[in-house]
Amino acid sequence: MVNAKLIFGGIEGGGTHSWIVLMDGRGEKVAELEGPSTNHWLIGMKECQARIRQLVDDAKVMAGLPQDTTLEGLGLCLSGCEDEETNNKLAAGIFQAYPNLARHVVVGSDTKGSIATACQNGGIVLISGTGSNALLLNPDGKTYRCGGWGHLIGDEGGAYWIAARAIKLLFDEADNMVDPPFSTSQLKQIVYKHFELQDRMGMLDHCYRSFQKAKFAGLTAKISEGATQGDPMCARLLYDAGFALGRHVCALSRHISESLLATDDGLQIVCSGSVWKSWEHMRAGFVDGIQPRCDKDRVIAKYTLLRLAVTSALGAIYMGAKEAGYDLPRDYSRNVRPFFTHVQPTPVALAKVSALTPKTTPRNTPRNTPRSTPLSTPKMRQKFTHDVEEEEEQANGHSNGHANGHSNGHANGHSNGHANGHSNGHANGHSNGHANGHSNGHANGLNNGHSSDYELGYAAGFANGQASIFENAQASGTENGFGFPHAANLLDASSSR
């Protein structure tokens, strides 16, 4: 039974900003406003609780409600709230510090809030804001996650990650550690202007003495502007971000319920966070990244990307109402807008799984494979149907997930590690399969159709942790092109993905 006098609250909490919404018992919104970060890992548990109380009080003022109004249910979907035990402590702390704030409180991750906002029966949420995270919710209530480990060891495809890689690329180029595939002149101007630098030494203050993650994350929007203006290096960084985000979904594919794949729209993927505003530059990378990389991964025959039309604070409200045992009226169709649909042709899909099955050919044994043309800025031809993009598998010379004529990871006429007279990956005195950063079929850094010094769409000069002149697969603080800054990783030079 509908009770219009009841008030429910929901908070979507990010690493940079938070949003709160209040609804009455009819499901009508009575207040919505923005506030500061509520990530307890960044600001501490007590400060997080205090900010939640302040957000609720401010929303009451906006709604014209008395300050002594007690919410019937309060849902908190916050970044950093992945652990159930910690979530229970946060809820208990709110009850103890502010006993009249709400009668029922439930705490969950920001990813759960997005799914609760968009999908009634489950799906995948893929967050790319300041950080990144992916969560699969199956109809039986079981959840599986990928990523969300913070900027020091994760957040691939997030705004901070993109910005940090851009900055590291400039430093590595200046140190002659890598030769970027495109000119970095415009990227350098963007970075220097954003941080108000005179020289690169000034960047160290932002990295260490006065580090602000939000400041780094803010650079990504300007990189996106550079890509829109046609700068290929900026476009490359965003392609890589799309690839990394696609890999999150690929990783979760092993656990997806068949019923989620059998809908008319295929698998529903809710895309949340500011980085998705750069979708046009990430699209080709995402389509490549979601492809199976081994026989354990599943082919997702069809998937639809959904963009939230509302804040996921609504999903938090739904969770709070459920915790209170109240059936709050809701209309999921008003909460989302589909913006991209991909259909994977079955024959090609099966061929990809077969092609990705590990080979037994010795790594020093040359194999005859077709030659192909160099990779330029990735682009995909799309078919538009009622604001939903239907993408065919082969577009603009892409075949088997390879871009602009790239096939089987060979480019610029290089085949199986042969490049400019380099054979079996050995060149300029480099051994163990290393040739100017090339290894295991890497030529001029091209592998799996990805451009100069990139493997799997990751950072310049890094391929499975391999970087120019590094032996035994030691790459300056990176593994698989991820992470800044870390100690050198020792990876088997013969490993493949």
Side-chain angles (χ1 to χ4, degrees), residues 183-477:
S183 170
T184 60
S185 59
Q186 184 171 348
L187 178 63
K188 183 176 180 179
Q189 292 177 17
I190 291 171
V191 172
Y192 275 46
K193 182 177 180 180
H194 179 75
F195 289 101
E196 300 179 346
L197 304 178
Q198 297 298 320
D199 54 51
R200 66 172 179 157
M201 297 304 293
M203 191 67 229
L204 300 181
D205 183 66
H206 293 281
C207 290
Y208 304 110
R209 185 177 300 164
S210 58
F211 172 75
Q212 296 179 30
K213 185 161 71 169
K215 180 71 173 178
F216 275 71
L219 174 64
T220 293
K222 298 176 182 179
I223 292 174
S224 181
E225 292 175 5
T228 300
Q229 294 167 5
D231 181 68
M233 193 65 253
C234 291
R236 184 71 218 189
L237 289 166
L238 292 171
Y239 171 93
D240 293 347
F243 192 95
L245 293 171
R247 285 285 294 271
H248 283 69
V249 179
C250 178
L252 291 172
S253 68
R254 307 179 188 189
H255 306 290
I256 297 174
S257 169
E258 286 292 343
S259 62
L260 294 182
L261 300 174
T263 67
D264 291 341
D265 295 327
L267 177 67
Q268 291 185 310
I269 304 173
V270 183
C271 303
S272 178
S274 59
V275 174
W276 290 103
K277 295 177 181 178
S278 302
W279 167 247
E280 287 302 314
H281 305 301
M282 301 192 300
R283 175 172 51 190
F286 185 87
V287 172
D288 287 346
I290 204 172
Q291 302 298 339
R293 64 188 185 276
C294 68
D295 56 1
K296 293 182 180 180
D297 297 331
R298 300 180 65 180
V299 174
I300 302 175
K302 184 177 183 179
Y303 57 88
T304 297
L305 304 188
L306 307 171
R307 186 176 284 120
L308 290 178
V310 296
T311 169
S312 60
L314 267 68
I317 288 179
Y318 300 160
M319 292 169 59
K322 182 179 180 180
E323 183 73 11
Y326 183 80
D327 186 15
L328 186 71
R330 67 199 72 177
D331 183 358
Y332 288 99
S333 65
R334 298 173 57 185
N335 295 348
V336 296
R337 180 173 63 86
F339 66 93
F340 179 75
T341 295
H342 177 81
V343 179
Q344 179 72 58
T346 302
V348 176
L350 294 176
K352 282 189 176 180
V353 175
S354 176
L356 287 166
T357 302
K359 303 294 191 299
T360 58
T361 307
R363 85 177 179 205
N364 289 330
T365 302
R367 288 174 288 191
N368 295 324
T369 52
R371 297 176 179 233
S372 56
T373 55
L375 178 66
S376 60
T377 304
K379 295 181 180 178
M380 302 286 281
R381 185 180 68 230
Q382 305 296 324
K383 294 171 63 179
F384 295 88
T385 306
H386 303 298
D387 296 327
V388 178
E389 303 164 21
E390 296 283 350
E391 179 178 357
E392 297 182 356
E393 174 57 22
Q394 297 183 1
N396 198 28
H398 293 246
S399 175
N400 290 331
H402 303 291
N404 289 322
H406 288 257
S407 173
N408 296 323
H410 303 292
N412 279 330
H414 307 310
S415 172
N416 285 323
H418 302 288
N420 296 323
H422 302 166
S423 176
N424 290 325
H426 302 291
N428 295 327
H430 297 274
S431 64
N432 292 325
H434 303 286
N436 289 329
H438 314 316
S439 173
N440 295 325
H442 303 77
N444 283 337
L446 302 177
N447 183 44
N448 291 328
H450 302 297
S451 74
S452 178
D453 286 325
Y454 285 77
E455 178 181 18
L456 295 174
Y458 300 130
F462 299 95
N464 275 336
Q466 300 169 14
S468 180
I469 310 180
F470 286 78
E471 186 172 328
N472 292 326
Q474 300 178 33
S476 180

Side-chain angles (χ1 to χ4, degrees), residues 82-162:
E82 311 292 343
D83 179 65
E84 196 64 30
E85 182 178 352
T86 303
N87 294 349
N88 292 335
K89 288 181 180 179
L90 176 57
I94 290 174
F95 280 126
Q96 182 177 0
Y98 312 106
N100 297 319
L101 190 66
R103 293 184 179 89
H104 304 274
V105 176
V106 60
V107 182
S109 66
D110 48 354
T111 50
K112 284 189 176 180
S114 295
I115 292 181
T117 303
C119 307
Q120 188 169 9
N121 297 316
I124 285 180
V125 62
L126 188 52
I127 292 179
S128 181
T130 301
S132 67
N133 198 356
L135 181 79
L136 165 66
L137 174 63
N138 279 326
D140 62 3
K142 291 183 179 179
T143 59
Y144 303 88
R145 62 173 292 174
C146 177
W149 303 116
H151 69 281
L152 289 180
I153 60 172
D155 283 350
E156 297 87 351
Y160 172 84
W161 183 85
I162 296 169

